[in-house]
Amino acid sequence: GESVGLHLPTLSVQEGDNSIINCAYSNSASDYFIWYKQESGKGPQFIIDIRSNMDKRQGQRVTVLLNKTVKHLSLQIAATQPGDSAVYFCAETMTGNQFYFGTGTSLTVIP
Amino acid sequence: DGGITQSPKYLFRKEGQNVTLSCEQNLNHDAMYWYRQDPGQGLRLIYYSQIVNDFQKGDIAEGYSVSREKKESFPLTVTSAQKNPTAFYLCASSNLHGNQPQHFGDGTRLSIL
């Protein structure tokens, strides 16, 4: 199967600092990537996506970077807030139908 | 509001019992999916359906069954053949045209009595 993993299982940041969450993927044919946020006891919530013809995409306080050369995806959260505390995981697909999901990084924001 | 509704939020299963998890969406999405989430693991695909009355097995379909009689509904039955059913079950849906994100419900936590 696919191998989508995260470099760090946990991350703690001070409120107001920037957070960077990383993801490695193994299938060079994957052409669409998504970051999700999952709070305890809830379903994953879409944050931002990026297609393989791009290397950067920005949203509100979030930026996704894609490095196809090393098969690496990162999520940057600016001015991290307590409400950002959650598990973040990436997903990849090359078909648009079947996605492969990473195990997640738990982000804790310290007030 | 448009979205995906899963019910119940918590479910308990007795030995030898089949239980059915409900998933309804009003997003007019063609595709629907069931995933299982276990601690420390990524989501694993159980079944998916791209059209009414058709569905395909995912990576861990053994011990599960589904139906897709309506576009809006994709119930999952956890049968007695599934020996380790305790998990968090997530339903998702998406459009099929181009790369589109999957939208998730808030899950059902299934436990064994």
Side-chain angles (χ1 to χ4, degrees):
Chain A
E2 295 291 320
S3 172
V4 179
L6 297 172
H7 292 279
L8 295 173
T10 62
L11 178 66
S12 296
V13 298
Q14 292 285 341
E15 181 178 358
D17 287 352
N18 296 335
S19 303
I20 300 176
I21 301 171
N22 297 303
C23 177
Y25 64 95
S26 60
N27 188 351
S28 57
S30 292
D31 60 1
Y32 180 55
F33 305 87
I34 302 174
W35 278 103
Y36 286 97
K37 172 187 180 183
Q38 186 176 22
E39 296 175 316
S40 181
K42 293 191 174 182
Q45 177 184 1
F46 170 85
I47 302 173
I48 192 167
D49 58 2
I50 189 167
R51 290 173 171 74
S52 59
N53 61 353
M54 305 172 68
D55 52 21
K56 180 179 180 179
R57 190 163 189 227
Q58 288 184 290
Q60 188 175 13
R61 283 201 306 119
V62 294
T63 300
V64 55
L65 299 178
L66 175 62
N67 186 330
K68 294 182 288 292
T69 302
V70 295
K71 290 182 287 186
H72 184 267
L73 193 69
S74 70
L75 176 70
Q76 300 178 2
I77 304 174
T80 313
Q81 302 169 359
D84 294 328
S85 293
V87 172
Y88 292 81
F89 57 87
C90 62
E92 63 168 311
T93 184
M94 66 173 182
T95 65
N97 296 328
Q98 191 150 357
F99 283 80
Y100 295 91
F101 296 84
T103 54
T105 291
S106 177
L107 174 66
T108 300
V109 180
I110 304 166
Chain B
D1 284 348
I4 302 176
T5 302
Q6 290 187 241
S7 63
K9 190 166 180 64
Y10 301 96
L11 188 57
F12 297 91
R13 196 191 87 169
K14 297 179 181 179
E15 290 288 337
Q17 185 182 42
N18 294 350
V19 291
T20 298
L21 285 60
S22 170
C23 179
E24 304 277 332
Q25 55 101 358
N26 60 5
L27 299 167
N28 199 33
H29 286 166
D30 293 307
M32 297 187 74
Y33 310 80
W34 274 106
Y35 293 93
R36 172 179 171 139
Q37 187 174 38
D38 294 283
Q41 296 190 39
L43 303 184
R44 292 184 290 167
L45 182 64
I46 304 172
Y47 269 99
Y48 67 101
S49 168
Q50 297 182 337
I51 194 170
V52 174
N53 292 324
D54 189 45
F55 45 83
Q56 284 76 42
K57 292 183 179 180
D59 299 322
I60 56 166
E62 186 175 349
Y64 300 97
S65 66
V66 293
S67 63
R68 186 89 186 274
E69 296 177 3
K70 299 186 300 182
K71 185 176 183 178
E72 302 79 17
S73 179
F74 191 40
L76 172 74
T77 296
V78 183
T79 75
S80 58
Q82 173 48 246
K83 298 307 179 187
N84 184 25
T86 299
F88 191 51
Y89 290 87
L90 287 161
C91 179
S93 70
S94 70
N95 279 320
L96 287 176
H97 306 293
N99 285 328
Q100 297 287 334
Q102 294 186 356
H103 298 265
F104 287 85
D106 274 339
T108 293
R109 186 165 299 280
L110 176 61
S111 303
I112 299 299
L113 282 179

